[in-house]
Amino acid sequence: MTEHPTSHEGRQPLAARQQERTRPRQQDAAAAAAAAAIPSPAAAPNPGPAAVAEAQAATRREGDRLRFVGAATRRIARGIDLDEIVLGLCRASVPTFSDAILVYLRDPLPVGDERPVSPFVLRLRRSDRLRHTDEEGGEAGPETERLRPLLSDPTADLMPAAELCEVRAGGALAEVLRGVRPVFGDSAAARAALPELLGPGRPVPTGHRAILAPLRGRRRVIGAAVFVRSTERPPFEASDLLVAAQLATHTALGIDKAVLYGREAYIADELQRTMLPDSLPQPTGVRLASRYLPAAETARVGGDWYDAIPLPGSRVALVVGDVMGHSMTSAAIMGQLRTTAQTLAQLDLPPQEVLHHLDEQAQRLGSDRMATCLYAVYDPVAHRITIANAGHPPPVLLHLGGRAEVLRVPPGAPIGVGGVDFEAVELDAPAGATLLLYTDGLVESRLRDVWTGIEQLRERLAATAQLTGPDHAPPLEALCDDVLDMLGPGDRDDDIALLAARFDGIAPSDVAYWYLEPEDAAPGRARRLARRALSRWDLDDMSDEVELLVSEVVTNAVRYAERPVTLRLLRTDILRCEVGDDSPQLPRQRRARETDEGGRGLFLVNRLARRWGATRLSTGKVVWFEMATRS
């Protein structure tokens, strides 16, 4: 009986020993076959000149593509607004990459997270084509006219593209735009999408001579670009799809940024516009003009402001201020301080008290809310002006004779420092003089310090006044323009707010002022005094109405007053009557019942006067009304 080999400890089975003996021979055979398959360097054939030239040409073409993409993306990125970005794409593409280009954008373009409407519309934003020679031999520039052929090559047979295209949901064009990647004109998707984009009945470019590239921003498709080559140059290659994708991506991202920037600039402009007065008032005895210039087109929002606030007694408060910084926050703080100043002005507080309360308000807004401010009150009857300053550049007064002087006003500390007392000074404000209030952007820049700029401003005002002669003040609007013309190319480092006030004043002969004891006879005495003043001013035809209204207002004042009541009449181009008393309670118009004996005085004032109002003072109140003179 034959015994089969068995496995013992320390020994391998017979089959395993046979496989181990044959393995080296198999490996040697495989190695020999592999060595035979690899040609030796001596046996390798040398590439021919044509192959080497083709490889070098391919390398050059690839290098040219990379350089073109780098230059084109830099040119597109230089654009700030929408038109500059689209123009950059067209200028970079034609004629280096294509002979013609069409750029379509959504209309309207969605902004940020806005949900776009569906179906959306594409509008031809710009078209460009290869430079060509016109019939007279002159070279014409890139065309942007939508009603002319895109190519000078007649074999292209391209008709003008449609200006508007509605992208239908589920349509061929919508599918291509959703796919994001550029496609050749002979692809199945493009053959159906291009006629929809360019318009029905128009021949469209086909084959590898057209590329349709979607423009996709961060969140959605915002348009499409069509690149076209004429038959005079080689068609697009597969690698050109990558180039078109790069151009489309950079353009779409740039458009996204431009749209967002445009919205922010619009918001900034609206914020700045609402923070500044729409128009200046026309108080009696003073003429006003103003200017505001942002630091630059790219930084339109700042903290500079100006204001003119009518006060009781025909006075007017002139305010100019500057919050540190250029941002939405600076503009918002400016708006709060301006509103606070208007509220304090209506309380008829002294200028130094207004600055004190503004300082407290700035501290409540934050520890780093700093601002400078100058607050002045002009009295046209007394021909005086009271000024308080909080770290602001001093005003300049241009006299009628042409002399310009920088007013000596205590500088004070900026608003927001806290714990600082402000000081006010009272100065003469002669008729015909012009007071100029401004922010430091007018007189300070990288090229000059603030005091050098103030001296240049003073010299400029004096030189301007000499042109009109010693007896005539320069026109106010022209004076503001001339002041801004002193700015050089490097002088616009900051916002500029400018407020000019021409002091006309009110002559003493046009003012009548009396004190009336708070007694029952006061209304009758007020009527007689008003009648005499109107007769002196040749306004007798107004006596009946004025006497009636004066009587009603004085009666209300006497009813609550404990100290003498003041009555003042001012004659300018209008007649203004002011009645003051020591009661802080403001009158309120109400409809009297038939059984009431009183309550109709303010109703008559409201019906007969052109304007009327009441202002609370620190010592009481003033009720006033105005009537047009019949001259």
Side-chain angles (χ1 to χ4, degrees):
M1 186 173 67
T2 305
E3 295 183 358
H4 295 283
T6 59
S7 148
H8 299 280
E9 183 178 358
R11 300 181 61 186
Q12 293 179 329
L14 179 60
R17 291 198 303 271
Q18 292 175 348
Q19 185 178 2
E20 189 71 22
R21 287 194 297 268
T22 59
R23 184 176 299 166
R25 291 194 297 270
Q26 293 173 352
Q27 293 176 348
D28 294 341
I38 300 175
S40 63
N46 292 326
V52 173
E54 179 63 26
Q56 292 175 348
T59 303
R60 284 196 300 270
R61 287 197 300 270
E62 187 63 26
D64 291 342
R65 285 193 182 92
L66 292 177
R67 285 190 291 272
F68 164 71
V69 170
T73 53
R74 287 193 298 271
R75 186 166 192 171
I76 294 170
R78 283 199 298 265
I80 296 177
D81 60 20
L82 188 62
D83 290 331
E84 289 180 351
I85 294 171
V86 175
L87 178 61
L89 171 64
C90 294
R91 291 289 190 263
S93 302
V94 179
T96 307
F97 182 66
S98 64
D99 295 315
I101 184 174
L102 296 169
V103 182
Y104 284 84
L105 296 181
R106 295 181 78 144
D107 187 22
L109 277 167
V111 180
D113 295 326
E114 288 182 358
R115 185 183 298 274
V117 297
S118 182
F120 61 89
V121 175
L122 294 180
R123 179 182 292 274
L124 182 60
R125 185 77 184 194
R126 186 177 181 89
S127 63
D128 216 345
R129 70 167 181 171
L130 181 66
R131 293 179 181 270
H132 67 287
T133 304
D134 60 18
E135 296 178 356
E136 298 181 358
E139 186 181 20
E143 295 294 335
T144 59
E145 303 175 7
R146 300 187 179 100
L147 299 180
R148 298 181 61 180
L150 292 177
L151 298 179
S152 58
D153 179 16
T155 61
D157 196 24
L158 286 177
M159 297 296 290
E163 185 173 350
L164 292 177
C165 168
E166 181 177 330
V167 181
R168 300 185 300 273
L173 181 58
E175 292 299 323
V176 173
L177 297 180
R178 188 180 297 111
V180 177
R181 295 183 179 180
V183 294
F184 284 122
D186 62 350
S187 65
R191 283 198 300 268
L194 282 174
E196 183 180 347
L197 178 64
L198 302 180
R202 291 178 170 87
V204 296
T206 58
H208 281 207
R209 299 193 177 277
I211 293 178
L212 174 58
L215 301 178
R216 182 175 181 83
R218 293 177 177 83
R219 296 176 177 86
R220 61 185 68 87
V221 173
I222 59 175
V226 181
F227 303 92
V228 182
R229 282 185 180 177
S230 68
T231 57
E232 296 178 355
R233 65 190 296 181
F236 291 111
E237 301 176 1
S239 56
D240 290 326
L241 291 178
L242 299 177
V243 175
Q246 287 287 331
L247 298 179
T249 299
H250 284 274
T251 301
L253 294 178
I255 290 173
D256 254 0
K257 292 180 181 179
V259 172
L260 288 174
Y261 170 76
R263 173 61 62 87
E264 291 178 357
Y266 171 77
I267 295 174
D269 288 343
E270 286 297 303
L271 178 62
Q272 189 72 56
R273 185 186 63 81
T274 55
M275 293 300 181
L276 296 176
D278 292 333
S279 60
L280 293 173
Q282 298 178 352
T284 303
V286 61
R287 285 172 286 169
L288 302 172
S290 64
R291 295 290 187 275
Y292 176 82
L293 293 178
E297 288 297 320
T298 55
R300 303 184 182 186
V301 179
D304 292 17
W305 90 91
Y306 61 88
D307 216 340
I309 309 167
L311 299 177
S314 298
R315 296 171 300 147
V316 59
L318 306 173
V319 191
V320 65
D322 183 5
V323 178
M324 295 182 182
H326 300 87
S327 64
M328 294 287 189
T329 303
S330 301
I333 295 173
M334 177 267 284
Q336 296 181 70
L337 293 180
R338 178 175 177 244
T339 301
T340 303
Q342 290 178 331
T343 303
L344 295 171
Q346 296 304 317
L347 299 177
D348 201 20
L349 298 177
Q352 65 272 22
E353 289 296 323
V354 172
L355 295 183
H356 174 73
H357 289 294
L358 284 176
D359 179 60
E360 292 180 337
Q361 175 67 6
Q363 295 178 66
R364 285 191 289 268
L365 295 176
S367 58
D368 58 344
R369 308 310 189 194
M370 305 287 289
T372 63
C373 182
L374 191 142
Y375 188 94
V377 175
Y378 170 64
D379 188 341
V381 176
H383 296 270
R384 304 280 288 178
I385 186 168
T386 306
I387 306 175
N389 191 9
H392 204 78
V396 179
L397 184 66
L398 177 63
H399 294 268
L400 185 59
R403 181 173 64 91
E405 65 169 325
V406 180
L407 297 182
R408 296 182 178 180
V409 180
I415 290 172
V417 173
V420 179
D421 292 331
F422 298 98
E423 182 181 354
V425 294
E426 187 175 348
L427 305 171
D428 288 331
T434 304
L435 183 69
L436 206 68
L437 308 179
Y438 52 90
T439 55
D440 58 358
L442 180 66
V443 294
E444 185 179 19
S445 70
R446 292 170 293 178
L447 305 179
R448 60 183 179 183
D449 61 76
V450 61
W451 289 108
T452 302
I454 292 175
E455 180 61 22
Q456 291 178 357
L457 173 62
R458 189 194 65 79
E459 294 175 354
R460 186 60 174 260
L461 290 173
T464 303
Q466 292 177 359
L467 299 177
T468 57
D471 299 330
H472 298 85
L476 203 56
E477 295 290 342
L479 180 65
C480 291
D481 294 335
D482 193 63
V483 166
L484 295 180
D485 286 342
M486 66 178 278
L487 297 172
D491 292 340
R492 289 286 301 280
D493 299 333
D494 198 359
D495 304 338
I496 298 175
L498 177 65
L499 179 62
R502 173 71 45 76
F503 300 143
D504 293 333
I506 300 177
S509 58
D510 292 327
V511 181
Y513 192 88
W514 305 279
Y515 284 96
L516 304 173
E517 293 296 329
E519 55 189 14
D520 294 341
R525 183 166 180 260
R527 289 194 298 269
R528 293 192 297 272
L529 294 173
R531 186 185 310 116
R532 294 173 188 171
L534 294 176
S535 177
R536 187 171 66 251
W537 292 333
D538 295 328
L539 297 176
D540 298 277
D541 55 343
M542 301 177 59
S543 291
D544 293 339
E545 294 179 356
V546 173
E547 288 182 38
L548 175 61
L549 300 187
V550 166
S551 178
E552 294 294 339
V553 176
V554 171
T555 298
N556 287 338
V558 169
R559 181 176 302 172
Y560 302 103
E562 296 181 357
R563 297 179 181 179
V565 174
T566 60
L567 171 63
R568 183 164 74 169
L569 296 180
L570 302 173
R571 183 192 66 164
T572 55
D573 54 340
I574 60 172
L575 180 68
R576 181 182 175 98
C577 174
E578 301 172 348
V579 177
D581 61 72
D582 59 348
S583 174
Q585 182 178 358
L586 297 180
R588 180 173 57 88
Q589 182 182 351
R590 62 184 180 88
R591 184 175 296 276
R593 294 173 297 183
E594 295 182 359
T595 57
D596 292 342
E597 295 182 359
R600 295 177 177 84
L602 291 181
F603 178 77
L604 292 174
V605 174
N606 186 62
R607 291 294 300 271
L608 297 179
R610 191 182 71 168
R611 290 196 313 155
W612 76 278
T615 304
R616 182 179 284 111
L617 308 178
S618 57
T619 58
K621 68 175 181 294
V622 169
V623 180
W624 56 269
F625 64 86
E626 295 176 350
M627 301 187 69
T629 57
R630 301 166 186 170
S631 57

